[in-house]
Amino acid sequence: MKINARNLYLVPYVLWIVLFVVAPILLILYYSFFDIEGHLSLVNYEKFFTPVYLKMALNSFWYAFLITAFTLLISYPTAYLLTKSRHKQLWLLLIILPTWINLLLKAYAFLGIFGTFGPANSFLEFIGIGQKQILFTDFSFLFVSTYIFIPFMILPIYNALEELDPVFIDAARDLGASRWTTFRRVVFPLTLDGVKSGCQAVFIPSLSLFMITRLIAGNRVITLGTAIEEHFLVTQDWGMGSAIAVFLIIAMVIIMILTGNRK
């Protein structure tokens, strides 16, 4: 029997998906049906619908929404300016470079920047405001998270703007549309797929943040990601951690479906 060469090329891809995507999800689903003593039970799912965990879920979605909104507000005009820049490839490289640095290193860098004797407080003292508690606040958490996710929002929006045919903009101008009307009725709708892709790339990982909540927010921001880490590494309640992860995966799938391209 003759084997299609194209099917052979799919083998590594399929193995990767099975081993590192399907298998971990099935393991998480399996462990979610066991309580802390190892007995088969639905107690973990019952616990999730208590006020404590529902509040964590609400916090996770709220902070993920804020991070996505702030990132989009910064990234869209930045991406638009990049398309008009003469040295766009250089600017893109400078935007991408921070993503090559380990996330833990960036988090520790902000511990120094926002610390009591860091540059941020030195600047506040210089302008006469005085030292402020910047670390371990909602502001520091949102600021650092937005900074980390900005490249992942800029790139899909930039690609969408680059692919936009300028004929549509010229036609809108010829018909007497103002710059704002052209942007609102032509540019933004035609680049909406890029915006959706950027929102996916930011919102979904924002739901499960835990390192930044530990280091930058000082556990003052509690999310589902923090709860999963706590159950797996501290309380050793793998069943409850897995149950939370199952709900998180379901939420991520729903978001991908809602923001997906339906063409």
Side-chain angles (χ1 to χ4, degrees):
M1 187 174 64
K2 201 172 183 179
I3 300 174
N4 193 335
R6 187 176 178 184
N7 292 336
L8 283 175
Y9 296 142
L10 288 174
V11 171
Y13 174 77
V14 172
L15 283 175
W16 180 273
I17 293 296
V18 170
L19 290 174
F20 298 106
V21 178
V22 177
I25 291 174
L26 290 177
L27 278 173
I28 288 170
L29 186 62
Y30 172 77
Y31 280 116
S32 69
F33 290 105
F34 291 89
D35 61 20
I36 194 168
E37 295 175 354
H39 301 135
L40 190 65
S41 172
L42 292 174
V43 67
N44 298 319
Y45 290 95
E46 292 173 4
K47 278 184 187 177
F48 185 83
F49 289 101
T50 58
V52 173
Y53 289 102
L54 289 177
K55 185 179 179 181
M56 283 184 195
L58 186 62
N59 278 343
S60 297
F61 277 92
W62 174 242
Y63 283 113
F65 169 76
L66 289 177
I67 292 166
T68 306
F70 291 141
T71 306
L72 179 59
L73 286 173
I74 296 168
S75 299
Y76 201 103
T78 304
Y80 183 80
L81 290 173
L82 278 174
T83 60
K84 306 298 180 185
S85 172
R86 292 180 58 189
H87 306 289
K88 59 183 73 175
Q89 299 305 322
L90 174 61
W91 289 111
L92 274 175
L93 178 63
L94 293 176
I95 289 169
I96 294 170
L97 273 176
T99 64
W100 299 355
I101 300 171
N102 184 273
L103 178 60
L104 185 61
L105 291 177
K106 287 189 281 190
Y108 273 110
F110 276 103
L111 285 176
I113 292 169
F114 288 153
T116 305
F117 303 104
N121 264 313
S122 297
F123 176 74
L124 292 178
E125 282 190 335
F126 176 75
I127 61 177
I129 296 176
Q131 285 188 354
K132 297 290 180 183
Q133 178 62 42
I134 304 175
L135 273 178
F136 314 133
T137 62
D138 284 2
F139 167 78
S140 61
F141 172 69
L142 292 171
F143 185 95
V144 175
S145 300
T146 300
Y147 162 78
I148 287 169
F149 286 119
I150 275 177
F152 303 102
M153 181 72 80
I154 288 177
L155 290 176
I157 295 174
Y158 170 81
N159 289 332
L161 287 167
E162 277 286 276
E163 293 173 2
L164 179 62
D165 194 335
V167 169
F168 294 111
I169 299 174
D170 294 336
R173 297 278 176 83
D174 291 341
L175 291 171
S178 64
R179 288 180 178 272
W180 170 245
T181 304
T182 301
F183 171 78
R184 184 170 54 89
R185 302 293 295 274
V186 178
V187 177
F188 188 76
L190 291 176
T191 57
L192 194 57
D193 286 342
V195 173
K196 287 180 180 179
S197 298
C199 289
Q200 278 185 7
V202 174
F203 191 91
I204 290 174
S206 295
L207 279 175
S208 55
L209 286 174
F210 68 91
M211 185 194 301
I212 298 174
T213 59
R214 292 286 193 198
L215 295 177
I216 304 298
N219 282 340
R220 297 185 61 149
V221 175
I222 304 298
T223 63
L224 291 179
T226 311
I228 292 171
E229 184 210 18
E230 187 79 16
H231 283 301
F232 272 98
L233 300 182
V234 180
T235 67
Q236 298 293 308
D237 188 353
W238 288 22
M240 191 62 223
S242 297
I244 298 170
V246 168
F247 282 103
L248 203 53
I249 291 168
I250 293 170
M252 291 174 179
V253 170
I254 292 171
I255 292 162
M256 289 179 69
I257 293 170
L258 292 176
T259 57
N261 191 345
R262 293 174 183 164
K263 290 181 182 179

